Structure formats: structure tokens, C-alpha cells
């Protein structure tokens, strides 16, 4: 049985693709991406937008979670 | 709560200003992507509505060749997928990558070229379909020229995003970024392979559905999930409930989802093992889906009250809930015994819209509501219109999915009943198809509200609203 050229190309691409995914996984382990997972979740927060504060209040300000409420009243 | 929370992974980032840096640099390309996406959303909705009305009034517009069902329906699918969804994804990815890498957008010129090529490709493709030059393969109807333009555009987008990733200022790769990276690496490869010119017959069908399902795997779903994993914790101000589960979800998603395509061909003339493998993989999708469902629900628990204040949260949470629903439905639908009933019925159409609209489109709406004020430094002018938008599209898509699911299931039962004439299975769907058209009109009205708001945003028009403190700071930095 002969495999057509197209098939050979596609199988090669599939193997390379699998290797990329495997490589990414191994790289992630080596660079300790999966160590200390509890703190990883905090990477989207910072001092200006800390845990505990809402960052979208387009419909109005909640009573809690609004340290800047007094300022805002004055600015209207 | 002002806390001295140390932020792991951000030590190297310049204090305070990285968000300003990334938002400022992503502003122009993201607005270009979103604006063209919104235009295609309107075009796609109108085509969809015309196609829907043809089920209720079969002779309507029947004498204009370009507006016959066989052309309007693929025009709807392609303008929505390659126009609205893809350009929306591009905007989301550019913005989110810059933020999660805590750096500026690199190679912005490539992004502008990408946007131009992408729009040109979709325009050329949709006009060709209406002109009768479709390739006749579902999801791949665009002629080769249009496909070449889109393929080039997607490569340029990926290059820019990967370059931005390379220039990152943070060690930790957040779960959303994993989804984005997998997505931008695989989408161009998938798109080019599916469009190679040497498939025919059964192989063409296999490649067709391998592609059509994998565009959900590598393009649509990662975007929705990346949005949910970023916006839900970011808006409510609470980290993901179980970060470990979110990463397990990503890697199991990467392992299982790409095998699913062939379940579209159950009963088709393919090797049985090929279909069986696909069914097994479809059922294995329960694992990543449950990790996402648990995570998003437990992150939200105790914070549902915040849905009152944030449009982003409403849309994204609605999308995340529908992701669970559509994925469970998809896994069940892939089983042979169930597929016997629902295959070739409107049930499948309901499933597709639960995925692409109720999950994906709602998530992107949420993302746009969050991103735009940070790019234009202008708060959404009329919150009440956002509420109209949300309720119209949420009720519209709910009516759509319920009517198609119920109608399609009955249709399937009728088709499988040899004692009934085939026409019964057509007649029985009529009220459900009317409900679908009504739902479509409601959704279109919702979209008009959204488009009006979006127009006001890019023009910075309408009522100047009190902007939250972080926008004020942004202006200080810009000076």
C-alpha cells in the first residue's frame, strides 16, 4: 500500500503539532508553571485593583466593595 | 478592602502602570477589530433572519437568486463565524494578551494589516456566496481567494500575539493565556490544512467535519473560556476558586476536544472505529467541562448579588452557564442512540446557537463591555440601554434554543416513525419555526441597542458619566 504525498504531509504536520503541544507541556513543568498554583490565580490582581474590589460597576456602585464612595458622591 | 496583598509573579512589572501601558498600546488595533466585528454581527444577524423567515414564508424573496435560502444561509454562517466571531476574538486576544503579559502590544502594524485582510476576505467571501460561487462545503464555503486572505490575516494576528507573549513581564502564565496561546498556534494550522485542495469524496466529508468542529475547539471555545476565566474573577475581585482545576481543565480540553469532529458523521460511510473514537472523546469532554462549571460556579458563590452592578458579569456568567449546558448537550448528542433522533433535525441548529450565541457571543459582549471603556476612557453612556440589550438577547436566545430543541426533537421522533408520512415531520415544526423567527427579531432589536451604544463609545458621545476612579488615574498617566 502506498500512502499519497498529501497523507505523508498531513501525518508529518500532526506529529509536529503533537510535539509542539508536548514540548509546551514539558516546558511548563520545567519552568515551574504548575508549582504554587494557589498564588497563580492572583496574577490578575494588583495594588490598584486588589482582591475584594469590583472593577466593573457600570450599573452603579454597590454599597460594599466601594472604598471610593465618598469621593464619587462629590464628583457628580 | 485595601490589603497589602503581595502579587506573585508581578515583581518584575513596572509598579502600577502596566495596565495603562497595555491598554494604551492595544487601544487602536482592538477598536479596529471590535468595530469591524460589530458591523459583521449586524450583517450576519440580518442574513440569519432572512433565512429563518424563509421557513415561515417559503416564497419570500424567492425570485432573487442572491437571496435564496441556499445562499443566504451560508452567508449567515460565514459572516457570523469569520466576521463577528473571529474579529471579536482577535480584539479580545490582543487586549487580554497584553494585559496578562503585563506589557505593550508588539508588532501593532501586523494587526492593522491583519484586520484589513480579514475584512477583505470575509467581504469577498460573502459576496461570492451570494453571487453563487460557494464551494458548497459547510463552514468552508468561501472561495479560495477569500480563504487565502483570511489565512494570511490569521497568521499575522498570531505572530503579533506570540511576539507580545515573548516580551512578557510576568513569569506566571495565567489560565486564560494558556487558552489564547493554544488558540493562536492552532487556528492558522487548522484553517490552512482544511483548505488544502486535495481532498475528495468521503475524505472531504471527514476533513470538513474535523475542521468544522475544531474551529470550535481551537478558536471559539478557548476565546469564551479565556474571557470567563479573566472577567469573572477580575470583575468580582476574587481569584478563581480552584486554580488547579482550571489548569487540569485546560490540558484535558487540549487532549480530548480535537477528536470530536467525526461525531457529526454518525451513520456516514466512514470506518466505524473513527466515529467511535470521536464519540468516546466527546463523552470525555465531561472532564474539562465539569472543571469549568465547578470553578465558575464556586467562584461566583456568595457574589451573585454583584450581577446587579456589572454588565460584563451578567453577560459572561450567562455565557459560562450556557457553556456547561451546551457541552453536556453535545456529549449526549454524540451518543449513537440519541443521535439517531436528533441528527438532521432542527435540534442540531438549536445546539449550534446555544454554543455560538448563548455561550460565545454573550461572553464576547461581556468582554466588550469591560474592554471598551478602558480603551476609549469613556464610560458606557446609557446603562438602561445595556439592560435592554441584555434582556432582549438573553430572552431571544432562550426562546430560540427552546423552540429549536423541542421542535427538533419532535421532528426527529416523527422522522423515525415509519407509520407517519415524511411531510408530518415537516408540518409539525411549523409553530417552532415561527417562534424561532420571533426570537430572531428580538435578538436583532437587542443588537441594534448594542450597536448604537458601541457607536456612542467609539465617538465618546452621549451622557458623560461619572467614571470609576481607575479611569481618572489612567488620564493622569497619559499626560
Amino acid at each position: 500500500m502506498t500512502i499519497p504525498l498529501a497523507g505523508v504531509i498531513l501525518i508529518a504536520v500532526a506529529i509536529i503539532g503533537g510535539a509542539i503541544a508536548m514540548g509546551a507541556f514539558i516546558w511548563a513543568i520545567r519552568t515551574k508553571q504548575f508549582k504554587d498554583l494557589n498564588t497563580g490565580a492572583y496574577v490578575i490582581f494588583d495594588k490598584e485593583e486588589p482582591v475584594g474590589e469590583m472593577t466593573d460597576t457600570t450599573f452603579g456602585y454597590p454599597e460594599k466593595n466601594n472604598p471610593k464612595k465618598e469621593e464619587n458622591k462629590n464628583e457628580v | 478592602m485595601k490589603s497589602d496583598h503581595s502579587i506573585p509573579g508581578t515583581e518584575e512589572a513596572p509598579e502600577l502602570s502596566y495596565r495603562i501601558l497595555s491598554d494604551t498600546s492595544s487601544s487602536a488595533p482592538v477598536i479596529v477589530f471590535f468595530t469591524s466585528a460589530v458591523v459583521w454581527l449586524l450583517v450576519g444577524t440580518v442574513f440569519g433572519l432572512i433565512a429563518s423567515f424563509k421557513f415561515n414564508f417559503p416564497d419570500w424573496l424567492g425570485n432573487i437568486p442572491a437571496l435564496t435560502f441556499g445562499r443566504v444561509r451560508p452567508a449567515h454562517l460565514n459572516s457570523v463565524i469569520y466576521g463577528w466571531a473571529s474579529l471579536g476574538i482577535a480584539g479580545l486576544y490582543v487586549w487580554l494578551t497584553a494585559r496578562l503579559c503585563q506589557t505593550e502590544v508588539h508588532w501593532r502594524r501586523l494587526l492593522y494589516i491583519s484586520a484589513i485582510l480579514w475584512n477583505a476576505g470575509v467581504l469577498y467571501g460573502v459576496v461570492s456566496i451570494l453571487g453563487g460561487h460557494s464551494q458548497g462545503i459547510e463552514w468552508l464555503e468561501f472561495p479560495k481567494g477569500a480563504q487565502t486572505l483570511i489565512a494570511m490575516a490569521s497568521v499575522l494576528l498570531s505572530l503579533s500575539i506570540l511576539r507580545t507573549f515573548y516580551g512578557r513581564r510576568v513569569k506566571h502564565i495565567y489560565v486564560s493565556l494558556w487558552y489564547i496561546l493554544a488558540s493562536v498556534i492552532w487556528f492558522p494550522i487548522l484553517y490552512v490544512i482544511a483548505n488544502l485542495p486535495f481532498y475528495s469524496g468521503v475524505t472531504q466529508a471527514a476533513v470538513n467535519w474535523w475542521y468544522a468542529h475544531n474551529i470550535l475547539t481551537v478558536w471559539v471555545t478557548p476565546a469564551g473560556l479565556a474571557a470567563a476565566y479573566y472577567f469573572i474573577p477580575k470583575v468580582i475581585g476574587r481569584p478563581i476558586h480552584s486554580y488547579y482545576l482550571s489548569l487540569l481543565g485546560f490540558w484535558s480540553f487540549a487532549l480530548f476536544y480535537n477528536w470530536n469532529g467525526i461525531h457529526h458523521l454518525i451513520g456516514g460511510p466512514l470506518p466505524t472505529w473513527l466515529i467511535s473514537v470521536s464519540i468516546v472523546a466527546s463523552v470525555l469532554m465531561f472532564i474539562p467541562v465539569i472543571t469549568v462549571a465547578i470553578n465558575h460556579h464556586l467562584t461566583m458563590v456568595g457574589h451573585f448579588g454583584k450581577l446587579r452592578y456589572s454588565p460584563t458579569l451578567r453577560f459572561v456568567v450567562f455565557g459560562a452557564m450556557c457553556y456547561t449546558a451546551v457541552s453536556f448537550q453535545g456529549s449526549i448528542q454524540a451518543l449513537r442512540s440519541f443521535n439517531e433522533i436528533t441528527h438532521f433535525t432542527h435540534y442540531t441548529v438549536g445546539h449550534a446557537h446555544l454554543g455560538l450565541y448563548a455561550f460565545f457571543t454573550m461572553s464576547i459582549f461581556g468582554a466588550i463591555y469591560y474592554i471598551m471603556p478602558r480603551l476609549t476612557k469613556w464610560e458606557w453612556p446609557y446603562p438602561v440601554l445595556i439592560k435592554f440589550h441584555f434582556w432582549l438577547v438573553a430572552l431571544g436566545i432562550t426562546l430560540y434554543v427552546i423552540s429549536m430543541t423541542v421542535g427538533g426533537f419532535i421532528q426527529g421522533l416523527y422522522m423515525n416513525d415509519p407509520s407517519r408520512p415524511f411531510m408530518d415531520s415537516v408540518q409539525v415544526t411549523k409553530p417552532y419555526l415561527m417562534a424561532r423567527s420571533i426570537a430572531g427579531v428580538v435578538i436583532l432589536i437587542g443588537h441594534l441597542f448594542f450597536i448604537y451604544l458601541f457607536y456612542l463609545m467609539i465617538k465618546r458621545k452621549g451622557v458623560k458619566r461619572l467614571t470609576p476612579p481607575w479611569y481618572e488615574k489612567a488620564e493622569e498617566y497619559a499626560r
Side-chain angles (χ1 to χ4, degrees):
Chain A
M1 189 186 90
T2 54
I3 302 174
L5 178 66
V8 176
I9 295 170
L10 290 183
I11 290 168
V13 170
I15 292 171
I16 295 167
I20 293 174
M22 202 62 205
F25 188 62
I26 292 168
W27 172 84
I29 293 170
R30 286 250 176 98
T31 55
K32 303 201 169 99
Q33 288 293 334
F34 306 135
K35 282 263 164 82
D36 205 10
L37 287 176
N38 288 329
T39 53
Y42 288 85
V43 80
I44 57 173
F45 300 103
D46 53 53
K47 278 183 187 160
E48 282 181 319
E49 295 186 353
V51 172
E53 262 183 50
M54 282 189 79
T55 62
D56 177 37
T57 49
T58 299
F59 288 154
Y61 296 94
E63 289 303 307
K64 291 177 206 165
N65 297 306
N66 182 20
K68 309 254 162 61
K69 198 181 156 203
E70 291 308 309
E71 286 173 39
N72 292 332
K73 265 186 187 165
N74 303 333
E75 282 175 42
V76 174
Chain B
M1 187 187 90
K2 278 281 175 198
S3 67
D4 293 311
H5 210 96
S6 72
I7 309 113
T10 55
E11 295 82 19
E12 316 100 294
E15 251 332 280
L16 301 177
S17 58
Y18 81 86
R19 257 179 296 103
I20 314 300
L21 177 73
S22 44
D23 288 1
T24 310
S25 70
S26 66
S27 179
V30 172
I31 289 175
V32 169
F33 279 125
F34 279 164
T35 308
S36 30
V38 169
V39 172
W40 286 114
L41 174 70
L42 182 61
V43 173
T45 314
V46 170
F47 282 139
L49 209 50
I50 294 174
S52 180
F53 275 125
K54 281 170 179 289
F55 283 93
N56 315 124
F57 313 105
D59 297 328
W60 184 57
L61 296 177
N63 51 0
I64 307 166
L67 295 178
T68 47
F69 183 77
R71 298 188 190 179
V72 170
R73 198 270 181 189
H76 163 63
L77 188 149
N78 283 278
S79 51
V80 168
I81 290 298
Y82 301 109
W84 156 245
S86 294
L87 290 160
I89 291 171
L92 172 74
Y93 280 3
V94 169
W95 183 83
L96 204 48
T97 308
R99 272 216 163 185
L100 291 173
C101 294
Q102 306 192 349
T103 183
E104 73 266 29
V105 175
H106 290 269
W107 291 354
R108 282 200 293 172
R109 206 164 292 164
L110 295 191
L111 294 175
Y112 299 124
I113 302 171
S114 171
I116 293 168
L117 291 177
W118 210 304
N119 277 299
V122 180
L123 183 65
Y124 173 31
V126 170
V127 170
S128 301
I129 289 173
L130 293 178
H133 301 288
S134 156
Q135 292 211 67
I137 302 160
E138 203 175 353
W139 294 75
L140 296 167
E141 285 98 341
F142 280 176
K144 290 290 175 222
Q147 290 175 338
T148 312
L149 290 172
I150 293 176
M152 290 193 300
S154 72
V155 170
L156 296 181
L157 173 73
S158 298
L159 286 176
S160 168
I161 287 177
L162 291 173
R163 175 65 186 85
T164 303
F165 173 69
Y166 185 73
R168 68 193 179 281
R169 295 213 180 94
V170 56
K171 268 194 201 127
H172 184 78
I173 302 175
Y174 188 66
V175 54
S176 295
L177 195 51
W178 276 114
Y179 280 106
I180 294 173
L181 290 173
S183 193
V184 297
I185 289 171
W186 282 108
F187 179 69
I189 298 174
L190 172 78
Y191 193 70
V192 169
I193 288 180
N195 285 311
L196 293 176
F198 44 60
Y199 313 114
S200 61
V202 173
T203 318
Q204 174 70 75
V207 171
N208 181 187
W209 287 106
W210 169 79
Y211 169 76
H213 206 100
N214 273 337
I215 193 170
L216 308 177
T217 308
V218 306
W219 195 231
V220 173
T221 312
L225 293 182
Y229 273 124
Y230 184 76
F231 291 115
I232 292 178
K234 187 70 179 166
V235 168
I236 68 177
R238 180 195 203 188
I240 281 286
H241 173 77
S242 167
Y243 196 64
Y244 163 78
L245 268 187
S246 74
L247 288 174
L248 181 75
F250 169 77
W251 286 99
S252 53
F253 178 97
L255 263 179
F256 304 141
Y257 205 10
N258 48 67
W259 298 69
N260 283 19
I262 309 301
H263 70 209
H264 289 262
L265 294 169
I266 292 171
L270 279 94
T272 309
W273 67 264
L274 194 60
I275 294 170
S276 295
V277 164
S278 193
I279 295 171
V280 171
S282 306
V283 175
L284 281 171
M285 277 305 288
F286 273 122
I287 298 170
V289 170
I290 288 172
T291 65
V292 171
I294 290 177
N295 240 339
H296 290 162
H297 181 72
L298 290 180
T299 307
M300 278 302 290
V301 160
H303 296 259
F304 281 103
K306 292 179 178 173
L307 290 170
R308 282 170 57 206
Y309 307 110
S310 165
T312 300
L313 200 60
R314 278 193 201 185
F315 279 97
V316 175
V317 167
F318 186 96
M321 281 159 59
C322 291
Y323 174 68
T324 312
V326 73
S327 304
F328 275 43
Q329 194 191 22
S331 295
I332 303 294
Q333 220 174 319
L335 300 173
R336 283 192 175 88
S337 51
F338 196 82
N339 200 267
E340 263 172 20
I341 302 170
T342 61
H343 207 175
F344 304 121
T345 70
H346 294 299
Y347 186 95
T348 312
V349 181
H351 176 66
H353 283 79
L354 182 57
L356 272 158
Y357 199 97
F359 159 51
F360 170 77
T361 296
M362 293 299 261
S363 303
I364 290 286
F365 281 145
I368 291 177
Y369 277 120
Y370 192 89
I371 296 171
M372 284 304 286
R374 285 152 181 81
L375 302 183
T376 58
K377 310 280 186 280
W378 187 255
E379 179 61 296
W380 293 94
Y382 304 108
V384 67
L385 296 188
I386 303 180
K387 288 180 184 171
F388 278 137
H389 173 215
F390 176 77
W391 287 109
L392 285 170
V393 295
L395 293 174
I397 195 61
T398 307
L399 176 61
Y400 188 115
V401 172
I402 290 175
S403 63
M404 287 294 93
T405 304
V406 175
F409 199 79
I410 297 172
Q411 184 193 11
L413 292 176
Y414 274 40
M415 278 159 73
N416 285 356
D417 183 352
S419 66
R420 285 182 189 277
F422 178 77
M423 272 315 282
D424 277 13
S425 73
V426 179
Q427 292 288 347
V428 74
T429 60
K430 279 167 104 178
Y432 301 102
L433 292 169
M434 187 54 87
R436 188 252 296 265
S437 293
I438 294 167
V441 173
V442 173
I443 290 172
L444 175 66
I445 297 169
H447 287 173
L448 292 177
F449 280 118
F450 172 66
I451 290 164
Y452 175 62
L453 280 168
F454 190 87
Y455 166 79
L456 293 177
M457 281 302 279
I458 48 177
K459 287 285 191 182
R460 290 167 58 98
K461 278 188 175 173
V463 178
K464 181 173 169 61
R465 292 184 61 211
L466 173 66
T467 52
W470 51 91
Y471 306 161
E472 311 279 321
K473 276 185 201 146
E475 277 177 5
E476 274 168 38
Y477 278 105
R479 264 184 230 131

